Amino acid sequence: MKTYNWGVLGCGVIANELALAMKNHNKKLYGVTNRTLSKAKDFAKKYEIENVYDSFEDMINDENIDIIYITTPHNTHINYIEKALNKGKNVLCEKSITLNSDELDKGMAIAKEKGLVLAEAMTEYHMPIYKELKKRIAEEKLGEVNLITLNFGSYKDYDMKNRFFNRNLAGGSMLDIGVYAISLARMFMKSKPNKVSSMVKYCETGVDEQASILLMNEEQQMATIMLSLHSKQPKRAMISCANGYIEVMEYPRGMKAVITYTDGEVEEIECGDTKNALWYEVEDMEETLTKGDDLMNREMTKDVMDIMTDIRKSWGMTYPEEE
């Protein structure tokens, strides 16, 4: 497979995980840039990265870079996506890939026009456990998927300047954690949900602190989702099928599933490693570029963004960039 040069924008938690994942697999980031240059230099020194750019523009003007990983806040994504794509760079962007469907459509249109890949860094699409579970379901022993139940709750202190609650940083449960739940639901549903209901509780800044979502598609598969940024819940997924149910804990980077069949048989499956979550993304992105097969689930990314956008519209909740 061709060797691809990666550049990363940002030096936060995800960027560190990306650099470490590459290091653990004998690969290095080619370059890094950050709003604060000193942080980029420290990051480069830590991970032995040869190229540090004074600005994002300098990075995208480097002809040697093939792929840029964007790790900045949600509301900055579309600006960087458009600039990178227009300079001929493939883009892997942290979730939520954009604020809304209009932004995503813009990015996808540019990528299509220029023959590039624009994808969301959604760990679930690449974790081996889900690829294995989809195979198991296809083998028909479990039967059809009927219902998916998803919880994701984190307890965050009520610091309204924190990005989780900050409207100016596109805070709220939907874009930060809901994207994981809706993406997993979509992955195990035969088609995009066409019926969506929801309820929301706001925090004082006007972003969604807590939400409940109900989805159903034409095949009448259903998903129920509970989200919270101020109430701890397990990150638990349950996929209920005709002949049994699957449970996955810590599902955004799941590696173990327990299947309980209706006859009482219990099967445990371990596949992949949580520590390699970012590496699986890198592998699938590079294989997509090399072979042309879409291992990045871009159509599902579009479906999920449409659902999130429609739900927020039904709430009447917007961000400053949308007003």
Side-chain angles (χ1 to χ4, degrees):
M1 185 162 31
K2 176 185 171 181
T3 298
Y4 291 95
N5 291 329
W6 288 71
V8 65
L9 170 62
C11 300
V13 173
I14 295 298
N16 276 270
E17 289 184 359
L18 175 66
L20 185 59
M22 287 188 169
K23 182 179 179 180
N24 289 340
H25 291 83
N26 300 312
K27 185 179 177 72
K28 290 182 183 179
L29 283 164
Y30 179 84
V32 60
T33 189
N34 190 67
R35 183 176 59 181
T36 305
L37 184 58
S38 61
K39 289 184 179 179
K41 289 180 178 178
D42 290 343
F43 185 90
K45 183 177 180 181
K46 181 178 180 180
Y47 295 107
E48 301 177 333
I49 301 168
E50 294 182 7
N51 300 285
V52 180
Y53 303 94
D54 291 343
S55 67
F56 185 67
E57 285 68 24
D58 288 343
M59 174 183 277
I60 61 178
N61 281 321
D62 186 336
E63 295 181 355
N64 293 312
I65 285 190
D66 302 298
I67 308 165
I68 293 179
Y69 197 127
I70 297 171
T71 72
T72 55
H74 313 307
N75 58 333
T76 66
H77 288 176
I78 188 59
N79 178 47
Y80 292 124
I81 286 170
E82 288 184 293
K83 286 181 178 179
L85 292 172
N86 281 318
K87 283 292 184 177
K89 308 303 181 187
N90 299 286
V91 176
L92 183 58
C93 184
E94 258 308 297
K95 56 80 194 167
S96 172
I97 189 168
T98 55
L99 288 185
N100 54 53
S101 293
D102 287 345
E103 288 185 355
L104 182 57
D105 289 345
K106 279 184 188 178
M108 285 185 161
I110 298 170
K112 182 177 180 180
E113 176 190 346
K114 295 188 173 293
L116 298 166
V117 171
L118 167 62
E120 183 174 53
M122 175 50 63
T123 52
E124 295 159 353
Y125 293 158
H126 313 288
M127 298 302 295
I129 190 67
Y130 296 118
K131 296 177 181 181
E132 178 62 26
L133 290 175
K134 287 177 75 69
K135 286 181 186 177
R136 296 296 183 99
I137 291 169
E139 290 169 358
E140 299 183 354
K141 181 179 179 180
L142 273 163
E144 296 284 343
V145 173
N146 294 324
L147 177 64
I148 302 165
T149 307
L150 295 150
N151 296 78
F152 197 140
S154 299
Y155 180 83
K156 308 293 183 186
D157 289 330
Y158 274 143
D159 176 1
M160 295 304 156
K161 294 181 181 178
N162 187 296
R163 73 171 181 87
F164 296 109
F165 299 110
N166 191 330
R167 186 168 172 269
N168 293 321
L169 294 176
S173 63
M174 179 70 77
L175 294 188
D176 196 74
I177 59 178
V179 65
Y180 284 117
I182 298 171
S183 294
L184 188 64
R186 178 64 188 90
M187 186 163 50
F188 285 92
M189 297 176 90
K190 288 183 176 180
S191 65
K192 177 183 178 181
N194 60 348
K195 294 182 180 179
V196 181
S197 300
S198 66
M199 298 183 73
V200 62
K201 174 187 176 183
Y202 295 107
C203 68
E204 66 182 57
T205 58
V207 302
D208 51 313
E209 172 191 319
Q210 188 169 291
S212 60
I213 301 166
L214 178 62
L215 308 173
M216 186 167 73
N217 60 12
E218 289 183 355
E219 294 83 2
Q220 296 194 318
Q221 294 173 305
M222 299 176 70
T224 62
I225 296 168
M226 293 298 298
L227 308 171
S228 179
L229 289 177
H230 194 62
S231 183
K232 187 66 177 174
Q233 296 183 80
K235 299 181 185 73
R236 184 177 79 103
M238 183 170 67
I239 304 165
S240 301
C241 305
N243 302 319
Y245 62 89
I246 304 163
E247 292 177 286
V248 183
M249 300 300 292
E250 301 297 325
Y251 64 83
R253 298 187 180 187
M255 57 182 281
K256 180 179 179 180
V258 179
I259 304 176
T260 302
Y261 295 94
T262 51
D263 63 6
E265 177 190 353
V266 177
E267 180 182 7
E268 292 190 4
I269 302 171
E270 286 195 42
C271 196
D273 190 334
T274 298
K275 294 178 182 178
N276 290 328
L278 273 292
W279 179 247
Y280 300 136
E281 291 180 0
V282 169
E283 285 187 310
D284 282 353
M285 183 71 172
E286 292 192 351
E287 190 168 342
T288 295
L289 291 173
T290 300
K291 297 182 179 179
D293 298 330
D294 185 12
L295 300 181
M296 305 309 292
N297 288 319
R298 285 171 284 175
E299 287 187 12
M300 288 188 187
T301 294
K302 169 62 176 164
D303 289 349
V304 171
M305 182 55 66
D306 286 346
I307 292 166
M308 295 196 299
T309 300
D310 288 344
I311 289 173
R312 284 201 299 112
K313 283 181 179 178
S314 74
W315 294 345
M317 180 187 145
T318 59
Y319 293 108
E321 293 83 359
E322 299 171 317
E323 295 169 355

